[in-house]
Amino acid sequence: MTEATAGVAPELACPIAPVVDVVFSRWTTPILWTLNEFGRQRFVELERRISTITPKVLTERLRRLERDGLVVRTYHAEVPPRVEYEISPLGRSLSPLFAALTAWSPNLAKVEEARRAYDAR
């Protein structure tokens, strides 16, 4: 324990914990990755690309991401109205993190191997 973390709750002593809470909550990474990869999209396009998410959850997550400054929502006053979502510059700043996680993903085979070995005990 360092002087800086003395008296701090354990979950707050880790400097990346708040980042993990914002970026890695369920559905956040697929939404951000999709917007980063495919650019500006309408709700239905996101819904099609992330086929396992419900419309209600997608709406909630997009609102949260907009509130966090990671996604920009643009409303077009047309008939019918059109709404588009795109990753913000702040959200795009996560690209190196996503690239690093993609580079690490081959290790998932080792994780699965370790799980099998553990479960076999």
Side-chain angles (χ1 to χ4, degrees), residues 3-70:
E3 189 174 317
T5 60
V8 176
E11 65 273 10
L12 299 177
C14 175
I16 65 167
V19 175
V20 170
D21 286 344
V22 170
V23 178
F24 296 110
S25 60
R26 180 115 168 105
W27 299 115
T28 297
T29 47
I31 293 168
L32 291 176
W33 183 87
T34 300
L35 290 172
N36 189 60
E37 192 72 17
F38 298 102
R40 180 182 302 141
Q41 295 176 63
R42 295 178 72 173
F43 184 90
V44 71
E45 294 171 305
L46 277 169
E47 192 177 27
R48 285 183 191 137
R49 287 201 162 102
I50 310 169
S51 61
T52 54
I53 194 170
T54 66
K56 178 183 179 218
V57 172
L58 180 56
T59 298
E60 290 169 355
R61 290 299 168 172
L62 285 168
R63 285 182 183 151
R64 184 173 177 183
L65 290 167
E66 183 182 6
R67 182 176 181 257
D68 289 344
L70 300 175

